[in-house]
């Protein structure tokens, strides 16, 4: 049962990522998909920053490492988002 649920959610997630990149899908479907995907990544990175900030109370070094990991993820997510959605590449 766990495998079936994981398979269905993975198909929906990957399908929405591919649909948001396709120019054949209407804009009123693509833009909400891009927003949902972006909000998911923002939430995950926000939770990483939150856990790093909470970890600073107990262990300063571990908290700084977690915050740095969140910072690297944020930078690479912005770069990937710009490359995927904002910078138009030549299509054959």
């Amino acid at each position: 049962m766990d495998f079936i649920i994981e398979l269905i959610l993975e198909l929906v997630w990957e399908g929405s990522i591919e649909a948001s990149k396709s120019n054949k899908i209407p804009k009123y479907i693509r833009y909400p998909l891009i927003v949902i995907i972006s909000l998911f990544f923002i939430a995950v990175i926000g939770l990483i920053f939150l856990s790093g900030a909470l970890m600073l109370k107990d262990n300063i070094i571990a908290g700084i490492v977690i915050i740095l990991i969140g910072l690297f993820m944020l930078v690479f997510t912005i770069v990937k988002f710009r490359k995927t959605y904002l910078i138009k590449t030549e299509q054959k």
Side-chain angles (χ1 to χ4, degrees):
M1 187 68 174
D2 184 40
F3 176 71
I4 294 172
I5 292 172
E6 182 180 346
L7 180 68
I8 291 171
L9 289 176
E10 186 173 341
L11 285 173
V12 168
W13 181 253
E14 292 295 324
S16 64
I17 290 176
E18 290 300 319
S20 68
K21 293 178 187 179
S22 176
N23 288 334
K24 295 179 183 179
I25 307 291
K27 289 182 182 180
Y28 62 87
I29 294 175
R30 272 191 297 152
Y31 291 158
L33 287 175
I34 292 171
V35 168
I36 290 169
I37 292 167
S38 300
L39 286 176
F40 176 76
F41 283 113
I42 289 170
V44 169
I45 293 172
L47 285 175
I48 290 173
F49 278 123
L50 179 66
S51 65
L54 293 175
M55 198 176 289
L56 279 174
K57 296 176 186 174
D58 296 332
N59 191 348
I60 294 176
I61 296 173
I64 291 172
V65 168
I66 296 296
I67 290 173
L68 286 176
I69 290 171
L71 188 63
F72 286 132
M73 287 180 66
L74 180 66
V75 168
F76 290 132
T77 301
I78 290 171
V79 169
K80 181 68 175 176
F81 181 81
R82 288 191 67 221
K83 183 177 171 184
T84 303
Y85 295 116
L86 299 179
I87 299 174
K88 300 294 182 187
T89 58
E90 284 187 28
Q91 295 185 8
K92 295 179 182 180

